[in-house]
Amino acid sequence: MYEKTDRSKFEIISIVSDSPSEELKKIIDEQKIEWPQILSNDTNKIKVNYRIYRFPTTFLINPEGVIVAKDLRGKELEDRILSLIK
């Protein structure tokens, strides 16, 4: 999806938790992950504030910052993303 979409219309951001930075860097390098990774910690409390209890959890957020879908996977996720950015 990341390579198929216009960056001005769509962005992927990963929220990471409980991963040592060395391990995270290794995964990013191995998987060739190009999108931003944000660490949820005790200061920003992203996991708590967005009620993220499992990984992956997906959110589709519109340009106004409203969550328009949560926990979509596979083809359903791809179809929803493409419909939102058209």
PDB file of all heavy atoms in Angstrom, residues 8 11 31 38 42 46 51 83:
ATOM      1  N   SER A   8       1.028  12.570  -0.447  1.00  0.00           N
ATOM      2  CA  SER A   8       0.268  13.762  -0.059  1.00  0.00           C
ATOM      3  C   SER A   8      -1.172  13.418   0.322  1.00  0.00           C
ATOM      4  O   SER A   8      -1.873  14.220   0.913  1.00  0.00           O
ATOM      5  CB  SER A   8       0.280  14.799  -1.181  1.00  0.00           C
ATOM      6  OG  SER A   8      -0.470  14.341  -2.296  1.00  0.00           O
ATOM      7  N   GLU A  11      -0.721   8.361   4.493  1.00  0.00           N
ATOM      8  CA  GLU A  11       0.508   8.087   5.228  1.00  0.00           C
ATOM      9  C   GLU A  11       0.272   6.919   6.171  1.00  0.00           C
ATOM     10  O   GLU A  11      -0.813   6.773   6.734  1.00  0.00           O
ATOM     11  CB  GLU A  11       0.953   9.303   6.026  1.00  0.00           C
ATOM     12  CG  GLU A  11       2.275   9.136   6.739  1.00  0.00           C
ATOM     13  CD  GLU A  11       3.430   8.815   5.804  1.00  0.00           C
ATOM     14  OE1 GLU A  11       4.009   9.742   5.230  1.00  0.00           O
ATOM     15  OE2 GLU A  11       3.741   7.616   5.642  1.00  0.00           O
ATOM     16  N   GLN A  31      12.635  -5.885   7.028  1.00  0.00           N
ATOM     17  CA  GLN A  31      11.348  -5.805   6.343  1.00  0.00           C
ATOM     18  C   GLN A  31      11.282  -4.636   5.340  1.00  0.00           C
ATOM     19  O   GLN A  31      10.274  -4.463   4.667  1.00  0.00           O
ATOM     20  CB  GLN A  31      10.213  -5.661   7.362  1.00  0.00           C
ATOM     21  CG  GLN A  31      10.106  -6.818   8.329  1.00  0.00           C
ATOM     22  CD  GLN A  31       9.729  -8.108   7.638  1.00  0.00           C
ATOM     23  OE1 GLN A  31       8.893  -8.122   6.739  1.00  0.00           O
ATOM     24  NE2 GLN A  31      10.336  -9.202   8.057  1.00  0.00           N
ATOM     25  N   ILE A  38       6.739   5.261  15.565  1.00  0.00           N
ATOM     26  CA  ILE A  38       6.638   6.082  16.769  1.00  0.00           C
ATOM     27  C   ILE A  38       6.569   5.152  17.971  1.00  0.00           C
ATOM     28  O   ILE A  38       5.755   4.226  18.005  1.00  0.00           O
ATOM     29  CB  ILE A  38       5.391   6.990  16.730  1.00  0.00           C
ATOM     30  CG1 ILE A  38       5.468   7.918  15.523  1.00  0.00           C
ATOM     31  CG2 ILE A  38       5.263   7.787  18.020  1.00  0.00           C
ATOM     32  CD1 ILE A  38       4.213   8.719  15.294  1.00  0.00           C
ATOM     33  N   ASP A  42       5.718   5.838  28.396  1.00  0.00           N
ATOM     34  CA  ASP A  42       4.989   6.372  29.544  1.00  0.00           C
ATOM     35  C   ASP A  42       4.737   7.870  29.441  1.00  0.00           C
ATOM     36  O   ASP A  42       3.861   8.403  30.118  1.00  0.00           O
ATOM     37  CB  ASP A  42       5.748   6.074  30.834  1.00  0.00           C
ATOM     38  CG  ASP A  42       5.757   4.591  31.166  1.00  0.00           C
ATOM     39  OD1 ASP A  42       4.848   3.880  30.701  1.00  0.00           O
ATOM     40  OD2 ASP A  42       6.674   4.143  31.885  1.00  0.00           O
ATOM     41  N   ILE A  46       0.547   6.649  23.974  1.00  0.00           N
ATOM     42  CA  ILE A  46      -0.244   6.383  22.768  1.00  0.00           C
ATOM     43  C   ILE A  46      -1.069   5.109  22.928  1.00  0.00           C
ATOM     44  O   ILE A  46      -2.255   5.092  22.606  1.00  0.00           O
ATOM     45  CB  ILE A  46       0.668   6.297  21.526  1.00  0.00           C
ATOM     46  CG1 ILE A  46       1.295   7.664  21.251  1.00  0.00           C
ATOM     47  CG2 ILE A  46      -0.117   5.813  20.309  1.00  0.00           C
ATOM     48  CD1 ILE A  46       2.376   7.651  20.193  1.00  0.00           C
ATOM     49  N   ARG A  51      -6.210   3.074  23.155  1.00  0.00           N
ATOM     50  CA  ARG A  51      -6.666   1.729  23.541  1.00  0.00           C
ATOM     51  C   ARG A  51      -6.112   0.649  22.593  1.00  0.00           C
ATOM     52  O   ARG A  51      -6.861  -0.156  22.055  1.00  0.00           O
ATOM     53  CB  ARG A  51      -8.175   1.682  23.614  1.00  0.00           C
ATOM     54  CG  ARG A  51      -8.723   2.620  24.656  1.00  0.00           C
ATOM     55  CD  ARG A  51     -10.214   2.503  24.774  1.00  0.00           C
ATOM     56  NE  ARG A  51     -10.676   3.467  25.757  1.00  0.00           N
ATOM     57  CZ  ARG A  51     -11.549   4.420  25.493  1.00  0.00           C
ATOM     58  NH1 ARG A  51     -12.070   4.526  24.294  1.00  0.00           N
ATOM     59  NH2 ARG A  51     -11.914   5.263  26.427  1.00  0.00           N
ATOM     60  N   SER A  83     -10.505   3.818  -1.469  1.00  0.00           N
ATOM     61  CA  SER A  83     -11.763   4.575  -1.620  1.00  0.00           C
ATOM     62  C   SER A  83     -11.675   5.931  -0.923  1.00  0.00           C
ATOM     63  O   SER A  83     -12.250   6.904  -1.397  1.00  0.00           O
ATOM     64  CB  SER A  83     -12.956   3.781  -1.090  1.00  0.00           C
ATOM     65  OG  SER A  83     -12.966   3.737   0.317  1.00  0.00           O
TER      66      SER A  83
END
